[in-house]
Amino acid sequence: MAVSKKIRWQRLLSKLSYLHEENEYVQSIVKDGAIDFNEHYIDFCKRMNFDIDNLNEQNADRIRKMYGLDSPGEDVETTTKALADMHQQIVKYMEPPVYSTSPEQAEETTDEYQMTQDEQEMYDSFNKLFRKIAMELHPDRLDPNLSTEERKKRISKFNDARAALDKKQYFILLEMAKEFNIKSPRNYAQQIRWMKKEIDKLDSSIDAGKKTYNYAFSECDTEEEKDGVVKRFMHHLFGINFP
C-alpha cells in the first residue's frame, strides 16, 4: 500500500472510531433526556395554564400533517390512536422526522435487502478476520494458565468482536487485530470506500441527534434556557408565539 494511501486509511479509521463514540454519546443524551424534557414541558404548561390535551385536540390536523399520520382510507379511530402514540415521541424532534428508503435503513428494517457486491466482499473479508480473532479469544481456545481476570477480559473482547461483525462495525475488528498482532484484510480501497460511507452516516446521525429538543434541553444551564427550548417546541408543534 502506498504511504499516502496508508496515511489516509489510518486517518479515516481514527475518525470513524471517534465518530462512533460521539454518536453513542449523542444518542444516549437524546434517549436519557426524554424524561427530563417531558417533565419540564408538563411543568411549563402548568405554570402557563396550558391544557396539553386541549392543545393536542385543537392542533390534531396540524400534528397529523407534520408527522405524516394520515393514510388513504384510514379510519378516524386508527388515526387518533396513531396520533396519541406519535405524541409520545414527538418531543424528541426539533424538526419533523425524515423518512428514507436508503439501502442502509432498508437493511435494518427488512430481511429483503440484499448487500451489494462491494458490501458482501467487505463482510466476507471481515468475517475471516473475526475467525482469526476468535482463534485468540474464544473461551474454548484460551490458555488455561491465564489468570481469571485475563480470561474474563478476553472473553469480553470476543463477545465485542462478534457484536462488531454482526453490526458491521469493522473498525472495532481492525483495532482488535492491531492489539493482538493479527494480520488484517488488505482490501484497503474497499475499506476506504466503506469508511467514507460510514463516516457520512455517523455525521448525519450525530447532526440529527443534536437537532432534537432532548439534546438542546440537556445543554441548558438555567431554567430560563430550559423554558426557551420548551417554547420553541410549542411554537413548532402548536404554532404558539411567545413574547
Side-chain angles (χ1 to χ4, degrees), residues 102-111 113 167-168 201:
S102 65
E104 292 81 8
Q105 287 188 318
E107 182 178 2
E108 294 176 358
T109 56
T110 176
D111 294 331
Y113 175 72
K167 296 177 181 178
K168 300 182 178 62
K201 287 195 293 184

Side-chain angles (χ1 to χ4, degrees), residues 3-238:
V3 174
S4 60
K5 182 176 287 188
K6 183 175 183 179
I7 293 174
R8 185 184 178 199
W9 176 84
Q10 185 61 56
R11 289 190 66 185
L12 287 172
L13 180 59
S14 298
K15 184 175 182 179
L16 185 59
S17 180
Y18 165 76
L19 288 177
H20 175 73
E21 183 177 346
E22 177 72 4
N23 186 54
E24 286 192 336
Y25 164 75
V26 170
Q27 299 309 320
S28 68
I29 291 295
V30 171
K31 180 179 179 181
D32 295 342
I35 295 176
D36 290 339
F37 176 74
N38 194 55
E39 287 179 351
H40 195 87
Y41 165 58
I42 293 172
D43 177 70
F44 177 85
C45 288
K46 288 180 179 178
R47 284 188 277 122
M48 299 294 291
N49 293 318
F50 285 127
D51 188 315
I52 295 177
D53 291 334
N54 284 342
L55 285 173
N56 291 339
E57 184 177 349
Q58 292 168 6
N59 294 275
D61 289 340
R62 176 189 177 94
I63 297 172
R64 278 196 294 267
K65 290 178 181 178
M66 187 178 295
Y67 290 94
L69 293 174
D70 285 320
S71 300
E74 190 175 77
D75 59 47
V76 175
E77 182 178 353
T78 302
T79 300
T80 302
K81 183 180 184 302
L83 177 60
D85 292 340
M86 177 60 79
H87 190 66
Q88 299 302 313
Q89 303 298 324
I90 54 181
V91 294
K92 295 180 180 179
Y93 300 100
M94 294 186 72
E95 300 175 358
V98 177
Y99 298 97
S100 172
T101 55
S102 65
E104 292 81 8
Q105 287 188 318
E107 182 178 2
E108 294 176 358
T109 56
T110 176
D111 294 331
E112 297 178 1
Y113 175 72
Q114 297 294 321
M115 288 190 289
T116 65
Q117 181 177 348
D118 207 35
E119 291 170 337
Q120 185 63 57
E121 289 175 359
M122 277 286 293
Y123 180 82
D124 291 343
S125 65
F126 280 97
N127 188 30
K128 292 178 182 177
L129 177 58
F130 168 73
R131 292 176 182 176
K132 293 179 183 178
I133 292 173
M135 296 289 286
E136 297 286 336
L137 301 177
H138 194 283
D140 293 340
R141 301 191 64 87
L142 293 179
D143 186 338
N145 295 319
L146 290 174
S147 66
T148 300
E149 182 179 351
E150 183 63 24
R151 286 182 63 85
K152 288 181 179 179
K153 177 182 175 181
R154 295 201 173 206
I155 291 172
S156 177
K157 283 185 175 292
F158 169 75
N159 291 331
D160 290 343
R162 183 165 53 188
L165 179 66
D166 291 341
K167 296 177 181 178
K168 300 182 178 62
Q169 295 174 347
Y170 303 134
F171 66 94
I172 294 177
L173 298 177
L174 289 171
E175 291 171 348
M176 286 190 182
K178 183 177 180 180
E179 179 181 354
F180 291 98
N181 198 27
I182 297 172
K183 187 176 180 181
S184 59
R186 294 292 187 257
N187 54 337
Y188 295 111
Q190 277 185 322
Q191 289 186 42
I192 287 174
R193 289 198 299 272
W194 168 74
M195 286 181 192
K196 289 172 68 176
K197 290 180 180 178
E198 288 299 304
I199 286 171
D200 286 344
K201 287 195 293 184
L202 286 170
D203 276 335
S204 297
S205 178
I206 292 168
D207 183 62
K210 289 184 175 181
K211 287 181 178 178
T212 64
Y213 287 108
N214 292 356
Y215 189 88
F217 188 82
S218 73
E219 293 285 287
C220 294
D221 296 319
T222 67
E223 294 299 306
E224 183 179 2
E225 290 175 346
K226 293 176 181 179
D227 284 353
V229 174
V230 172
K231 289 176 181 179
R232 283 157 54 197
F233 167 71
M234 297 186 72
H235 173 73
H236 167 227
L237 191 62
F238 303 126

